[in-house]
């Protein structure tokens, strides 16, 4: 017997259930929070990795540390603007913001000092800075030993160069260069080669004296055997003299021309010097935002490179879903 | 015309209310009646009784969802016609299968307490439906409220027929347990 009472009772269920059962399938946009969450987590990890690993775009602390390791005299944008002076380094440099990096008068004529320096500069217009740099180089008789402009794979342009500057004009050159951009890092190392240089000169002098004596023996040689021995020694002495002269010449060149390795980054905002927590925090947010924009730009550019492949994969997936549904519907009908 | 305006017409005893109801919910009610009766003439008879039923029920009722309200009337009247017809001639059909399935919810040796009001049982079933997953609930209501065939349900929700049967079987088992627990079945 059919249970009429149960069927009648079902007829009285809530309107919502009745309506829900025969409701036409409406397109409802459901925010895919789970997917958004996963993408956000992935992006966060990616950004974290990008920020932790010093790829070199930013004046990263890791890179600064590397430079700092060999410095006896350094300047950092995020720290004090005072220049530490190291007596042992043999430099004679003034502290403070108006730096006379190298005072010619205080460097003893007798001292043989080789100066190498590294500098990170930020600029808002790389072309303008390079133009100014070339003028400064010409003005002070300096020259570029090597240079690289890097524009690929990044939204910021970078310029690296090794510049040789006449040592007696290094201070003026640096002062002028400093005004062309924002110096975010500076380190310098001075190597005193006076002892080695003096030793080379003494050895050269001694060899030249020996050369003169050997030449006297050459004139007095009685037989062929003696002549051969003298010639052999003379040849050795001359080889050593040439070697020492080349070394001295090399030292002279290194002493006469200081070496500056410069790394220029084109940026939209300069790194600000600040010490308070609030300022540093504000700077971190600001710079972080700029880095984020750069990262997004890079991702978009990378996507643009891969767009055809992505479209092809999407089409394959859509086709796969379409065929699967068609196959399933046919199977259900059968 | 909006539902509330049609209801207002009923309350004002305006006969255009029936014409508006027919225009808006005529096909919907006919499909319910046709699902139960499988006979066009009987379905049209049920439909005419539905409009009369609605005329008599509003007022005093003031339904918020006129479609479901009218649908319920159609279902009840169609079931009544079906029962009177099957009393004369025992027959099969989709509705018979559905009602047989519903019988499974009540064990052989047990029966529904006759003294219970239909609305009390309906509240109990509402409670049971609330606990079901949306997909299971929709399938259950399609089968036992609208008396849709298994094939139609499978096509509607894009399930296989065996899946629909399995879903209904599980739902019926759970309904039986629920009715026993609530003391509706003794």
């Amino acid at each position: 017997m059919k249970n009429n009472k149960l069927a009648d009772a079902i007829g009285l269920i809530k309107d919502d259930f009745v309506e829900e059962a025969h409701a036409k399938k409406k397109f409802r946009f459901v925010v895919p929070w789970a997917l958004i969450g996963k993408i956000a987590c992935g992006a966060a990890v990616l950004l974290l990795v990008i920020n932790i690993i010093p790829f070199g775009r930013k004046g990263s602390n890791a890179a600064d540390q590397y430079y700092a390791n060999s410095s006896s005299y350094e300047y950092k944008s995020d720290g004090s603007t005072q220049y530490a002076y190291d007596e042992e380094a043999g430099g004679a440099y003034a502290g403070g913001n108006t730096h006379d990096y190298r005072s010619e008068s205080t460097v003893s004529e007798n001292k043989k000092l080789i100066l190498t320096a590294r500098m990170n500069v930020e600029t808002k217009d790389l072309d303008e800075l390079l133009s100014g740099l070339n003028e400064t180089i010409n003005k002070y008789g300096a020259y570029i030993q090597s240079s690289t402009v890097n524009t690929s794979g990044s939204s910021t342009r970078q310029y690296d160069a090794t510049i040789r500057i006449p040592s007696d004009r290094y201070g003026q050159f640096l002062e002028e260069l400093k005004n062309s951009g924002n110096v975010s890092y500076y380190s310098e190392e001075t190597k005193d080669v006076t002892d080695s240089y003096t030793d080379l000169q003494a050895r050269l002098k001694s060899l030249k004296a020996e050369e003169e004596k050997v030449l006297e023996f050459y004139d007095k040689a009685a037989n062929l055997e003696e002549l051969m021995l003298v010639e052999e020694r003379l040849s050795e002495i001359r080889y050593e003299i040439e070697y020492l002269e080349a070394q001295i010449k090399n030292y002279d060149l290194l002493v006469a021309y200081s070496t500056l390795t410069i790394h220029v980054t084109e940026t939209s905002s300069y790194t600000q010097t600040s010490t308070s927590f609030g300022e540093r925090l504000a700077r971190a947010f600001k710079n972080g935002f700029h880095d984020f924009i750069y990262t997004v730009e890079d991702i978009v550019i990378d996507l643009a490179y891969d767009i055809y492949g992505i479209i092809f994969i999407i089409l394959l997936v859509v086709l796969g879903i379409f065929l699967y549904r068609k196959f399933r519907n046919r199977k259900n009908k059968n | 015309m909006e539902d509330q305006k049609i209801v207002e017409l009923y309350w004002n005893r305006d006969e255009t209310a029936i014409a508006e109801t027919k225009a808006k919910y005529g096909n919907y009610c006919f499909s319910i009646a046709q699902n139960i009766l499988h006979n066009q003439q009987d379905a049209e008879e049920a439909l005419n009784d539905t409009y009369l039923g609605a005329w008599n029920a509003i007022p005093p009722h003031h339904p918020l969802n006129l479609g479901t309200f009218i649908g319920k009337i159609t279902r009840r009247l169609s079931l009544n016609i079906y029962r009177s017809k099957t009393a004369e001639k025992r027959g099969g059909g989709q509705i018979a299968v559905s009602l047989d399935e519903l019988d499974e919810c009540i064990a052989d040796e047990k029966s529904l307490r006759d003294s219970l009001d239909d609305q009390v049982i309906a509240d109990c079933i509402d409670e049971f439906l609330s606990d079901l997953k949306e997909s299971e609930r929709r399938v259950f209501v399609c089968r036992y409220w609208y008396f849709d065939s298994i094939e139609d349900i499978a096509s509607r929700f894009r399930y296989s027929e065996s899946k629909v049967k399995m879903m209904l079987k599980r739902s019926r088992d759970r309904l039986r347990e629920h009715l026993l627990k609530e003391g509706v079945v003794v």
Side-chain angles (χ1 to χ4, degrees):
Chain A
M1 181 185 168
K2 310 288 176 288
N3 201 304
N4 295 337
K5 204 164 180 64
L6 192 56
D8 289 343
I10 287 174
L12 297 174
I13 60 172
K14 278 183 188 170
D15 289 359
D16 293 346
F17 297 146
V18 177
E19 204 176 359
E20 174 192 69
H22 259 215
K24 281 179 184 170
K25 220 173 187 181
K26 291 175 189 169
F27 174 76
R28 287 187 303 165
F29 178 74
V30 180
V31 181
W33 289 116
L35 183 66
I36 290 170
K38 282 175 190 170
I39 291 170
C41 286
V45 170
L46 193 69
L47 284 174
L48 200 65
V49 170
I50 288 168
N51 280 298
I52 286 171
I53 300 171
F55 287 120
R57 173 153 57 79
K58 296 181 291 178
S60 69
N61 288 337
D64 292 350
Q65 288 294 325
Y66 167 75
Y67 293 144
N69 286 340
S70 62
S71 71
S72 58
Y73 169 41
E74 62 184 59
Y75 168 92
K76 283 184 181 176
S77 65
D78 57 347
S80 164
T81 55
Q82 295 293 320
Y83 285 66
Y85 177 74
D86 190 339
E87 282 287 343
E88 287 180 7
Y93 307 94
N97 282 329
T98 53
H99 324 286
D100 181 5
Y101 289 88
R102 186 161 191 154
S103 168
E104 302 91 47
S105 61
T106 53
V107 179
S108 168
E109 286 295 322
N110 297 326
K111 285 273 187 187
K112 294 293 177 188
L113 303 173
I114 297 172
L115 177 73
T116 50
R118 287 179 184 274
M119 181 190 256
N120 285 358
V121 183
E122 294 172 331
T123 179
K124 289 179 180 173
D125 188 344
L126 183 64
D127 298 323
E128 191 184 326
L129 183 134
L130 292 182
S131 169
L133 180 65
N134 284 330
E135 279 181 25
T136 312
I137 284 169
N138 292 332
K139 184 177 170 185
Y140 291 100
Y143 66 93
I144 294 172
Q145 189 171 296
S146 64
S147 68
T148 316
V149 178
N150 184 7
T151 55
S152 62
S154 173
S155 48
T156 58
R157 289 192 297 170
Q158 293 174 39
Y159 174 77
D160 291 281
T162 303
I163 305 167
R164 304 297 303 274
I165 308 115
S167 295
D168 56 345
R169 309 183 80 180
Y170 180 78
Q172 296 161 329
F173 178 89
L174 203 61
E175 195 65 33
E176 202 155 310
L177 184 62
K178 193 185 72 174
N179 296 328
S180 62
N182 181 49
V183 180
S184 61
Y185 177 81
Y186 180 80
S187 78
E188 192 177 279
E189 186 179 23
T190 308
K191 191 177 175 187
D192 189 349
V193 293
T194 310
D195 290 345
S196 307
Y197 191 85
T198 311
D199 186 44
L200 287 173
Q201 277 188 319
R203 283 173 62 197
L204 182 66
K205 197 176 173 183
S206 160
L207 283 169
K208 281 192 172 172
E210 192 181 347
E211 186 189 18
E212 280 178 21
K213 279 186 181 174
V214 172
L215 280 172
E216 283 174 18
F217 278 118
Y218 186 80
D219 293 336
K220 293 171 185 171
N223 52 47
L224 188 63
E225 194 180 348
E226 278 183 9
L227 199 66
M228 291 284 283
L229 280 169
V230 170
E231 261 191 2
E232 193 180 337
R233 180 56 193 154
L234 193 63
S235 171
E236 283 174 6
I237 290 167
R238 281 178 176 167
Y239 175 77
E240 278 189 60
I241 286 171
E242 276 176 22
Y243 174 73
L244 290 174
E245 279 178 342
Q247 274 198 305
I248 288 168
K249 208 171 177 179
N250 188 41
Y251 271 144
D252 284 340
L253 191 67
L254 287 171
V255 169
Y257 282 84
S258 300
T259 307
L260 174 66
T261 305
I262 185 170
H263 175 76
V264 184
T265 310
E266 194 173 40
T267 180
S268 56
S269 63
Y270 291 147
T271 305
Q272 298 298 313
T273 56
S274 55
T275 48
S276 77
F277 174 74
E279 285 173 323
R280 284 165 60 202
L281 189 67
R283 197 179 70 217
F285 274 116
K286 193 180 169 190
N287 291 346
F289 178 73
H290 286 300
D291 286 348
F292 172 72
I293 295 295
Y294 287 137
T295 306
V296 170
E297 284 176 4
D298 289 347
I299 290 169
V300 170
I301 289 165
D302 287 345
L303 281 176
Y305 278 117
D306 299 334
I307 191 71
Y308 300 107
I310 291 169
I311 289 171
F312 180 68
I313 289 168
I314 289 171
L315 284 174
L316 277 182
V317 170
V318 170
L319 185 70
I321 291 169
F322 173 74
L323 289 174
Y324 169 73
R325 285 187 174 172
K326 200 171 180 184
F327 173 75
R328 192 183 61 182
N329 288 343
R330 189 174 292 171
K331 197 178 167 187
N332 287 343
K333 276 182 185 173
N334 290 337
Chain B
M1 189 181 276
E2 286 177 16
D3 281 5
Q4 288 312 307
K5 284 185 179 169
I6 299 173
V7 172
E8 285 302 315
L9 291 175
Y10 276 110
W11 274 81
N12 295 333
R13 310 317 293 163
D14 186 338
E15 288 184 11
T16 54
I18 292 174
E20 291 294 340
T21 307
K22 198 173 181 179
K24 192 167 183 182
Y25 295 110
N27 289 339
Y28 170 70
C29 292
F30 182 80
S31 68
I32 294 171
Q34 184 68 11
N35 259 1
I36 297 169
L37 298 167
H38 290 280
N39 183 303
Q40 191 169 349
Q41 208 175 344
D42 291 345
E44 279 172 2
E45 185 190 333
L47 218 56
N48 289 330
D49 290 349
T50 298
Y51 301 134
L52 184 63
W55 182 259
N56 292 331
I58 313 170
H61 289 284
H62 203 301
L64 292 172
N65 189 332
L66 184 64
T68 315
F69 184 79
I70 299 283
K72 282 182 176 180
I73 296 172
T74 310
R75 182 183 183 275
R76 183 166 45 80
L77 291 174
S78 300
L79 275 175
N80 287 342
I81 292 170
Y82 169 79
R83 282 165 191 152
S84 65
K85 295 270 177 189
T86 48
E88 295 165 12
K89 187 183 84 175
R90 307 287 296 176
Q94 198 57 236
I95 175 83
V97 179
S98 297
L99 291 174
D100 279 342
E101 286 171 5
L102 272 181
D103 270 355
E104 287 178 22
C105 298
I106 302 154
D108 292 341
E109 67 277 15
K110 298 180 188 300
S111 65
L112 278 172
R113 282 163 57 185
D114 289 336
S115 58
L116 278 177
D117 185 68
D118 283 354
Q119 191 56 55
V120 175
I121 302 168
D123 291 343
C124 186
I125 296 167
D126 279 339
E127 204 176 312
F128 155 76
L129 289 172
S130 303
D131 292 339
L132 286 184
K133 282 195 285 184
E134 188 189 327
S135 56
E136 291 174 332
R137 186 166 60 234
R138 292 181 75 182
V139 168
F140 185 90
V141 175
C142 279
R143 182 65 176 162
Y144 302 118
W145 198 96
Y146 287 100
F147 296 108
D148 286 338
S149 67
I150 301 283
E151 191 184 354
D152 286 347
I153 295 170
S155 166
R156 183 182 194 88
F157 296 107
R158 296 189 173 183
Y159 297 147
S160 65
E161 287 185 26
S162 57
K163 182 176 178 176
V164 173
K165 284 176 189 168
M166 187 53 71
M167 285 172 87
L168 288 169
K169 174 82 172 68
R170 283 195 197 127
S171 298
R172 287 197 304 269
D173 289 347
R174 287 173 66 182
L175 175 61
R176 185 172 60 213
E177 283 171 23
H178 187 75
L179 292 173
L180 277 166
K181 189 179 152 197
E182 296 296 319
V184 173
V185 170
V186 292

